[in-house]
Amino acid sequence: MVVLSKRARNLHQGAIRAMFDKAATMDRVISMGIGEPDMATPMPICEAAAMALRNGQTHYTPNAGTLECRQAVSEWGNIKELHYDSRSEIIITPGGMGALSLLLSAIVEEGVEILIQDPQWLNYASQVRFFGGVPVPVPTSAEKGFVIQAADIEQKITEKTKAIMLNSPNNPTGAVIPEKELRKIAEVAIRHDLLVISDEVYNTLYYTEKPVSISALPGMKDRTIVINSLSKAFAMTGWRLGFAAGPAEIISKMVPAQENISACANSIAQAAAVYALHHPELSETLHTVFQQRRRIVMEGLDAIPGISYCEPDGAFYVFPNIKSFRMTSYEFCNRLLEEEHVVCIPGSAFGQSGEGYMRMAYTCSEDELVEGLQRIKRFCEAIRGNQA
């Protein structure tokens, strides 16, 4: 008897978690693997949650989230400029992943194609497949800073294409799509009547120009669904609180989908989110920390012969080129873990265009970053010596 569905049989553990599980069996490990801020959630946010508990806010909330939380989202950051209706155009979800899952459940039908950057966060493609869609990779290159190009997107469009998935600032590369290129992508979306899914979970972590949301460009608000969360901006990964903002027609179908899957987001997390969103200075503190760590990582990589990289403009990742060591990215990262107890993620985990690279997350302490970079340098020098 076949118990599992075809969808369930096709689910597999991602490479990031696999590396993390292997590292858990080892001592003295420095992890640059998981994309999670190492610091605790700021105490004022925790105190807001405690106050909500004391006040008895422990009940179900509306399926779309509390109106107070939706209003706080509508008044935050880039979202504020777009004047989303908090009653009909915003839904609060269990994390950004929850928002993306609900969205895909509402728009994807069997065989529908979703264009996704390559390399890209590995769960995008698996989620599209889970809902019966077809993820179509759009290759990017280091020569263009791993910025997805409108011309390359247009070449991948077929009669089955329904949406373009964007993630800027980007995981795993740290790339930020410039406004000039975003305008070209918007033109493509309008010309071919496509939706755009804009994952903006790293939009508070930028180091050059502030990222522009494609939803703010002319003609794009009505065809763009913005996905975001509080995980990266406020170090709230474990709270599982995210949201989607977009056309009422789409949000209105995500709400009953959530009713049938999780009913609603956590009530206490929503109360904490209201406080966090009203205090953006807490996010700015995290930004300062990651800006300093970014400098440490780049200086450390500059001192390692054989490694090159594109300077990350956002997020908390760097995506070094390791092709000169004549190993696959999996072999390189696996040996780095076994020999130096440093976790980095093979670039191939993020798509075919990621082969020959590895993702480093500068989400550990400065002392660990310095030590980790020294270990990576020692590892690379040993490989060089053996290959000489």
Side-chain angles (χ1 to χ4, degrees):
M1 180 176 68
V2 178
V3 176
L4 297 176
S5 69
K6 181 179 179 181
R7 288 180 178 179
R9 293 197 302 272
N10 288 333
L11 287 174
H12 302 284
Q13 184 184 46
I16 296 177
R17 286 291 175 182
M19 294 289 288
F20 189 71
D21 290 346
K22 183 174 182 178
T25 67
M26 308 170 76
D27 297 324
R28 301 183 305 103
V29 171
I30 293 177
S31 179
M32 300 181 183
I34 296 293
E36 175 181 33
D38 61 313
M39 61 282 292
T41 303
M43 190 52 63
I45 298 174
C46 298
E47 291 171 350
M51 180 64 72
L53 284 168
R54 287 192 290 268
N55 290 341
Q57 293 177 235
T58 56
H59 302 279
Y60 292 126
T61 77
N63 300 130
T66 66
L67 183 57
E68 185 181 17
C69 192
R70 282 178 278 157
Q71 287 174 335
V73 166
S74 72
E75 296 166 0
W76 181 59
N78 290 345
I79 296 294
K80 181 178 182 179
E81 304 167 6
L82 294 165
H83 306 291
Y84 284 102
D85 187 324
S86 57
R87 294 180 181 273
S88 63
E89 296 180 321
I90 293 173
I91 180 173
I92 309 300
T93 60
M97 283 289 291
L100 182 58
S101 296
L102 293 173
L103 171 62
L104 294 175
S105 74
I107 68 171
V108 172
E109 296 174 300
E110 200 70 32
V112 160
E113 294 178 352
I114 308 293
L115 305 186
I116 302 174
Q117 175 178 326
D118 181 5
Q120 189 52 271
W121 187 43
L122 62 160
N123 289 100
Y124 288 157
S126 61
Q127 277 207 352
V128 169
R129 291 190 193 98
F130 186 78
F131 288 102
V134 179
V136 178
V138 180
T140 62
S141 67
E143 288 72 26
K144 294 183 178 178
F146 290 109
V147 171
I148 192 168
Q149 304 292 304
D152 295 332
I153 290 173
E154 193 151 32
Q155 289 182 0
K156 295 290 185 176
I157 294 173
T158 72
E159 69 279 359
K160 295 182 179 180
T161 306
K162 189 165 191 177
I164 305 165
M165 182 97 71
L166 300 180
N167 175 216
S168 175
N170 181 264
N171 175 9
T173 66
V176 173
I177 305 174
E179 182 176 351
K180 181 179 180 181
E181 194 62 38
L182 274 180
R183 290 187 177 277
K184 294 178 182 178
I185 294 171
E187 291 172 1
V188 169
I190 293 170
R191 185 159 57 247
H192 293 275
D193 194 24
L194 300 177
L195 293 172
V196 173
I197 305 166
S198 183
D199 183 343
E200 301 177 11
V201 298
Y202 296 98
N203 71 336
T204 62
L205 296 171
Y206 58 91
Y207 311 106
T208 52
E209 294 184 6
K210 181 180 179 180
V212 173
S213 174
I214 195 169
S215 58
L217 300 182
M220 291 304 297
K221 182 182 176 184
D222 291 339
R223 65 174 65 249
T224 301
I225 304 90
V226 174
I227 304 293
N228 211 324
S229 84
L230 280 74
S231 292
K232 318 299 183 178
F234 295 97
M236 292 178 67
T237 54
W239 298 74
R240 307 314 304 132
L241 207 289
F243 64 86
E249 177 187 9
I250 295 175
I251 300 297
S252 69
K253 294 305 178 183
M254 293 171 64
V255 173
Q258 176 145 281
E259 176 186 358
N260 282 280
I261 295 172
S262 60
C264 58
N266 181 290
S267 61
I268 306 306
Q270 291 186 62
V274 170
Y275 184 92
L277 293 168
H278 286 160
H279 292 81
E281 70 276 6
L282 297 173
S283 178
E284 292 165 7
T285 299
L286 268 67
H287 174 273
T288 301
V289 171
F290 286 119
Q291 191 165 36
Q292 171 65 9
R293 292 180 181 181
R294 171 179 175 269
R295 182 190 62 79
I296 292 172
V297 168
M298 292 195 298
E299 289 178 354
L301 290 175
D302 288 341
I304 304 176
I307 283 185
S308 60
Y309 62 93
C310 295
E311 186 172 314
D313 289 330
F316 40 56
Y317 307 107
V318 64
F319 205 59
N321 184 326
I322 54 173
K323 295 178 182 178
S324 68
F325 297 98
R326 303 200 296 274
M327 283 185 277
T328 67
S329 58
Y330 176 81
E331 290 169 337
F332 185 96
C333 291
N334 197 51
R335 281 188 57 183
L336 177 62
L337 176 58
E338 291 178 348
E339 297 175 26
E340 291 290 350
H341 291 201
V342 175
V343 179
C344 293
I345 306 301
S348 58
F350 303 97
Q352 185 175 347
S353 297
E355 180 53 71
Y357 299 83
M358 67 176 180
R359 192 192 75 174
M360 299 171 61
Y362 39 98
T363 51
C364 50
S365 70
E366 291 185 14
D367 288 343
E368 288 179 311
L369 279 179
V370 171
E371 171 63 21
L373 287 159
Q374 289 174 347
R375 294 185 190 184
I376 294 172
K377 182 178 182 181
R378 185 168 62 212
F379 174 72
C380 291
E381 289 174 344
I383 295 173
R384 286 281 193 205
N386 292 334
Q387 291 178 345

